[in-house]
Amino acid sequence: VYNLILGGGSLETKLYKKLRGENSLCYNVTSMYQKYDGLIIISTAVDINSNKKAIKLIKNSIQEMSNNISEEELNNAKNLILTSLTMN
């Protein structure tokens, strides 16, 4: 659920909103949870001149995850999980 809210699910993730929606720094941004390593990998492509700003925004998004998850974000992530389970 954490990964889906951060950047792994839709166009409504924290990373997508910050990097693309609010700052137009990239075309796409995503995160992927690697269960066996306990890692979340964040992937995006930004202009080299914008990389420091992008890194700062990514760190801010991760920090937001500790105390600022809305009910809407949580419900969207849960619905995405349920939808993916019913598709298989």
Side-chain angles (χ1 to χ4, degrees):
V1 173
Y2 179 98
N3 180 56
L4 291 175
I5 294 170
L6 178 63
S10 69
L11 302 178
E12 295 299 317
T13 65
K14 288 192 180 292
L15 291 173
Y16 192 88
K17 286 178 186 176
K18 287 231 189 264
L19 272 72
R20 178 165 167 90
E22 297 171 10
N23 292 281
S24 300
L25 291 178
C26 62
Y27 180 73
N28 190 19
V29 60
T30 188
S31 65
M32 177 179 56
Y33 175 60
Q34 288 193 334
K35 177 181 177 180
Y36 297 107
D37 296 325
L39 299 173
I40 291 182
I41 298 172
I42 297 170
S43 175
T44 190
V46 296
D47 182 85
I48 192 71
N49 297 319
S50 301
N51 69 338
K52 289 181 182 177
K53 183 175 182 178
I55 291 169
K56 181 180 176 183
L57 292 170
I58 290 168
K59 288 180 179 181
N60 288 344
S61 296
I62 293 169
Q63 181 63 35
E64 269 186 33
M65 293 294 292
S66 65
N67 60 9
N68 191 15
I69 296 175
S70 70
E71 282 294 318
E72 181 181 6
E73 289 171 321
L74 189 57
N75 288 332
N76 288 342
K78 289 178 185 178
N79 288 333
L80 189 59
I81 291 170
L82 291 173
T83 299
S84 68
L85 289 173
T86 59
M87 290 177 71
N88 293 326

